[in-house]
Amino acid sequence: MTEQNDQELLKNARNGDKNAFKKIIERYEHQVAATVIGMLGRCAEAEDIGQETFMRFYKSLDKFRGEASVGTYLTRIAINLSINELRRRIRRRKFFFSKSDGLIENVADTNNSRKNKEIKEIVQQGIQKLEPKFRAVVVLRLIDQYSTQETADILKLPVGTVLSRLARAQMKLKEILTPLYGEKHE
Amino acid sequence: MNMDKKALRLLYWSFEEKLKEKEQNQLEKALEKSEELRGEKEKIAAMRKAVSESAYGSYKPFFAERVMNRIVAEEKGGPMVSVFEPLKAVFQRLAIVAAIVIIVLIVYNLSIGESFTMNEAFYVSELTFEEILPIPLF
């Protein structure tokens, strides 16, 4: 039995077949999760934004014409919702006076980091220290593996801006994560 | 860092796009000359690999079911279901702020008071019901 392709599932979903849309969710959950968790970190809001991404797609099924692939369309929604959530967090932080010094605790103490935390989590924390505009390009290019052109299309930016932000983001990430890699390269 | 800024920029770009021939040659010459730049290239490659492998690619189990339940609930409940969600978040935050203010006031009152009692904490003397109400009952 061949798997239904996206267009068939979407057609059935538009005709009221809820199972068809559920298959779409199952098919793209990983992609949306990688994007949203990359942007927001592992938190309750990441699941809310993930759900909201699919809700918005469901509500706009009739308008989706297939100019972009389903995955790219969902990623675009996920990135926009994630950026909005990050802006809300920044406003709340200003209101509640919380501080962020841009450093990850315990990264300097690399022996304990390696014992107590997986490198994956440390890297994710490093990504969370980036400003939203840099975080978005890192998530789309390095985590979601979109090309620079696709990243530029999703974010509606010129390719040059994407390249510039990627370079700055990576320099900043390298600075944050260097204690981890300094030991690794010995 | 004494690396040539242009070479460094080309190095970062080389990971994203195919460089033009002239730029590729410039980068290769710079890499040949500079051990620091070669080291930087290794660090960038390692970091990019770590970032791409750091993805959390799934939510908790039954994510699809939760989304479908939400879709069904919204279709049944209509706009009212979504209107109260943002209000809930606002009230939760107000409740936290109010609780903090109350705790701070209690601690302050106890610190300046003469004894450790509820009256001292809330800065009230023993009041009767008639004293509290501004209007007579009869």
Side-chain angles (χ1 to χ4, degrees), chain A residues 29-60:
Chain A
E29 178 194 336
H30 302 289
Q31 188 165 336
V32 168
T35 303
V36 176
I37 295 173
M39 288 294 287
L40 303 182
R42 292 167 75 197
C43 56
E45 287 88 356
E47 157 110 16
D48 292 341
I49 297 296
Q51 287 190 20
E52 186 62 28
T53 299
F54 285 104
M55 297 291 296
R56 295 229 178 162
F57 183 48
Y58 183 76
K59 288 172 190 168
S60 65

Side-chain angles (χ1 to χ4, degrees), chain A residues 68-80:
Chain A
S69 68
V70 172
T72 301
Y73 194 79
L74 284 166
T75 299
R76 195 174 282 148
I77 300 173
I79 278 282
N80 287 335

Side-chain angles (χ1 to χ4, degrees), chain B residues 75-87:
Chain B
E75 281 178 344
K76 280 187 188 160
M80 284 257 298
V81 173
S82 49
V83 157
F84 286 111
E85 275 304 313
L87 287 177

Side-chain angles (χ1 to χ4, degrees), chain B residues 113-133:
Chain B
E114 293 172 357
S115 60
F116 216 79
T117 61
M118 288 293 279
N119 286 344
E120 286 293 346
F122 291 100
Y123 198 58
V124 292
S125 54
E126 288 189 19
L127 297 172
T128 63
F129 197 59
E130 286 79 14
E131 283 171 322
I132 295 168
L133 281 179

Side-chain angles (χ1 to χ4, degrees), chain A residues 9-186:
Chain A
L9 288 172
L10 290 176
K11 187 181 163 194
N12 294 341
R14 284 188 192 107
N15 290 334
D17 182 354
K18 296 266 189 307
N19 273 331
F21 192 74
K22 190 180 168 193
K23 283 183 186 160
I24 291 274
I25 299 172
E26 286 162 352
R27 194 171 282 184
Y28 290 101
E29 178 194 336
H30 302 289
Q31 188 165 336
V32 168
T35 303
V36 176
I37 295 173
M39 288 294 287
L40 303 182
R42 292 167 75 197
C43 56
E45 287 88 356
E47 157 110 16
D48 292 341
I49 297 296
Q51 287 190 20
E52 186 62 28
T53 299
F54 285 104
M55 297 291 296
R56 295 229 178 162
F57 183 48
Y58 183 76
K59 288 172 190 168
S60 65
L61 272 179
D62 290 333
K63 286 183 229 164
F64 178 68
R65 294 276 173 261
E67 300 93 354
S69 68
V70 172
T72 301
Y73 194 79
L74 284 166
T75 299
R76 195 174 282 148
I77 300 173
I79 278 282
N80 287 335
L81 289 175
S82 299
I83 289 173
N84 290 343
E85 174 59 26
L86 287 173
R87 286 184 183 138
R88 272 196 288 272
R89 277 189 193 174
I90 289 167
R91 284 196 295 270
R92 281 202 297 267
R93 240 184 264 148
K94 279 184 185 161
F95 181 66
F96 286 109
F97 308 109
S98 76
K99 286 183 280 184
S100 172
D101 60 6
L103 299 173
I104 302 174
E105 289 171 9
N106 297 327
V107 171
D109 186 7
T110 50
N111 286 332
N112 282 342
S113 295
R114 297 251 186 83
K115 286 172 191 169
N116 303 331
K117 288 181 186 180
E118 292 195 30
I119 290 173
K120 189 171 168 173
E121 203 178 307
I122 294 171
V123 171
Q124 275 287 324
Q125 282 185 36
I127 295 169
Q128 296 311 304
K129 296 296 177 187
L130 297 173
E131 285 175 48
K133 63 181 182 180
F134 296 124
R135 207 181 300 184
V137 293
V138 165
V139 167
L140 289 172
R141 180 79 182 97
L142 301 186
I143 291 180
D144 292 344
Q145 301 282 306
Y146 284 106
S147 67
T148 40
Q149 183 63 59
E150 287 168 332
T151 301
D153 291 341
I154 290 171
L155 295 174
K156 294 188 168 54
L157 292 171
V159 170
T161 305
V162 169
L163 288 171
S164 165
R165 287 187 186 178
L166 268 170
R168 286 174 66 186
Q170 289 174 94
M171 282 181 205
K172 183 70 185 167
L173 257 183
K174 213 166 53 61
E175 200 182 291
I176 294 168
L177 299 173
T178 288
L180 182 69
Y181 291 102
E183 202 176 294
K184 198 173 175 178
H185 282 283
E186 277 170 16

